[in-house]
């Protein structure tokens, strides 16, 4: 993610800028087309299950962590 609005449900559930979405609704995302296809099956207001990979310090020897969360899909224009 390049940005997560601080007043969004996703932010409240723990999604942060820099997180890499690795699964959507339990399906492993190997490319953006899979993500777009799965996301396209939902509407604004639907809840989806995400698994994200977070590595807060890319320059150390320790790996990051995988985090699962449920978030609502929103229209980005609605929170600006």
């Amino acid at each position: 993610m390049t940005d997560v609005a601080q007043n969004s449900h996703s932010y409240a559930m723990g999604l942060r800028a820099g997180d890499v979405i690795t699964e959507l609704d339990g399906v492993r995302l190997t490319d953006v087309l899979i993500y777009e296809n799965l996301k396209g099956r939902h509407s604004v207001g639907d809840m989806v299950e995400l698994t994200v990979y977070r590595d807060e310090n890319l320059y150390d020897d320790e790996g990051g962590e995988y985090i699962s969360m449920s978030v609502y899909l929103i229209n980005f224009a609605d929170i600006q």
Side-chain angles (χ1 to χ4, degrees), residues 12-26:
M13 297 307 296
L15 190 64
R16 297 295 180 263
D19 287 351
V20 177
I21 300 173
T22 60
E23 291 185 10
L24 176 62
D25 288 338

Side-chain angles (χ1 to χ4, degrees), residues 6-68:
Q6 290 187 6
N7 60 339
S8 69
H9 179 262
S10 297
Y11 188 88
M13 297 307 296
L15 190 64
R16 297 295 180 263
D19 287 351
V20 177
I21 300 173
T22 60
E23 291 185 10
L24 176 62
D25 288 338
V27 177
R28 186 170 178 227
L29 303 176
T30 55
D31 64 51
V32 72
L33 295 176
I34 294 171
Y35 169 78
E36 291 295 334
N37 185 332
L38 292 170
K39 187 180 77 163
R41 297 178 186 179
H42 293 281
S43 300
V44 170
D46 287 353
M47 182 173 280
V48 296
E49 300 294 322
L50 296 181
T51 300
V52 300
Y53 179 75
R54 178 178 298 159
D55 190 352
E56 294 178 353
N57 187 352
L58 298 174
Y59 302 105
D60 65 13
D61 292 335
E62 298 179 23
E65 63 181 325
Y66 287 90
I67 304 165
S68 296

